Amino acid sequence: MSEMQQTAAASVALSTERLMPSVQSIGGRDIEITFLGPNMYGQPTWVMWNASEPYLIGLLSQGRLGYHFEQRTSSGVFVHENISLQRVQRALGG
């Protein structure tokens, strides 16, 4: 059974089972979230893909003060630092 990280205010649930994608509905669209393991700083890291079309949405990592989210958009890359999972959900349109 995989471990999940979830806050009461946010509906985003992050699995910590390595390389096992899960699809979640966030902001009216299905997003595939895959846990990659710790990054070079030892922070848990996830990659997010559009589940219906193969394009990268962003990279999420958990820091000491919150989450870091590098979001790919049509205008370029937006970096959100030290934010909550609820804020990640809002950045994704939810």
Side-chain angles (χ1 to χ4, degrees), residues 6-21:
Q6 185 172 7
T7 63
S11 63
V12 178
L14 299 173
S15 173
T16 55
E17 188 172 344
R18 196 177 290 215
L19 300 177
M20 293 299 295

Side-chain angles (χ1 to χ4, degrees), residues 33-56:
I33 302 172
T34 305
F35 179 62
L36 300 176
N39 63 16
M40 64 186 262
Y41 303 109
Q43 301 167 325
T45 303
W46 296 264
V47 65
M48 297 178 170
W49 294 90
N50 182 326
S52 60
E53 299 176 22
Y55 74 83
L56 178 68

Side-chain angles (χ1 to χ4, degrees), residues 15-86:
S15 173
T16 55
E17 188 172 344
R18 196 177 290 215
L19 300 177
M20 293 299 295
S22 66
V23 176
Q24 297 186 42
S25 180
I26 303 171
R29 61 184 173 164
D30 290 333
I31 297 177
E32 181 180 298
I33 302 172
T34 305
F35 179 62
L36 300 176
N39 63 16
M40 64 186 262
Y41 303 109
Q43 301 167 325
T45 303
W46 296 264
V47 65
M48 297 178 170
W49 294 90
N50 182 326
S52 60
E53 299 176 22
Y55 74 83
L56 178 68
I57 293 173
L59 188 69
L60 180 70
S61 62
Q62 185 177 16
R64 291 188 320 176
L65 300 175
Y67 290 87
H68 304 291
F69 182 44
E70 296 177 34
Q71 181 182 17
R72 180 182 170 262
T73 69
S74 59
S75 302
V77 176
F78 289 115
V79 178
H80 309 272
E81 294 185 334
N82 298 321
I83 61 173
S84 66
L85 276 179
Q86 186 176 15

